[in-house]
Amino acid sequence: MTKTSGEDPRKTDVKVSLIGGHRLTGETLHERTLTASLIGGADVDLTDVDIPDGAELRITKLSLIGGVSLKVRADVRVEVHGIRLGGVKDDGPSEPGGPTVRVDAWGLLGGVTVRRS
């Protein structure tokens, strides 16, 4: 997550495309990110991000067709919300506490897959 002392800590990054997805990494994200496309998913790699315990990183994905592929450390809890035709694959921790990534996925087709390293 990028954050400098002079920035608003609740800044939202916005990524928009008509066709094609977005590849997002930790150094390019703030605490809130919105990615929108007609056709295309979001490939998000957060393995190099140090999310403090109790903090929440939020990613919102809007698309007609396209899911979310999320890669996080093993100790990060992932919450998935939204409406889409497609499932959620996640074998990670579900207990409250610790760092949390919230994914709001809104779309017609596309699931959310969480990989852990």
Side-chain angles (χ1 to χ4, degrees):
M1 293 185 312
T2 56
K3 189 188 320 183
T4 62
S5 60
E7 290 186 16
D8 179 3
R10 298 186 55 88
K11 178 180 178 183
T12 300
D13 289 323
V14 178
K15 314 282 186 194
V16 178
S17 67
L18 291 177
I19 298 176
H22 298 105
R23 184 171 307 251
L24 307 169
T25 58
E27 64 268 5
T28 63
L29 295 177
H30 285 83
E31 284 80 6
R32 289 169 182 31
T33 299
L34 168 68
T35 173
S37 60
L38 287 177
I39 300 173
D43 185 11
V44 183
D45 185 354
L46 300 176
T47 55
D48 63 342
V49 175
D50 183 24
I51 304 170
D53 281 352
E56 178 182 271
L57 178 70
R58 181 174 286 189
I59 299 168
T60 303
K61 172 69 174 116
L62 306 170
S63 65
L64 287 177
I65 300 172
V68 177
S69 174
L70 177 64
K71 187 173 182 183
V72 294
R73 296 186 329 258
D75 65 329
V76 174
R77 188 171 76 118
V78 177
E79 295 179 1
V80 179
H81 302 274
I83 297 175
R84 72 224 157 271
L85 295 177
V88 176
K89 294 183 183 178
D90 182 15
D91 297 332
S94 59
E95 302 82 30
T100 302
V101 174
R102 178 180 169 136
V103 178
D104 295 312
W106 301 91
L108 188 58
L109 294 174
V112 176
T113 302
V114 179
R115 296 173 294 158
R116 298 180 180 275
S117 61

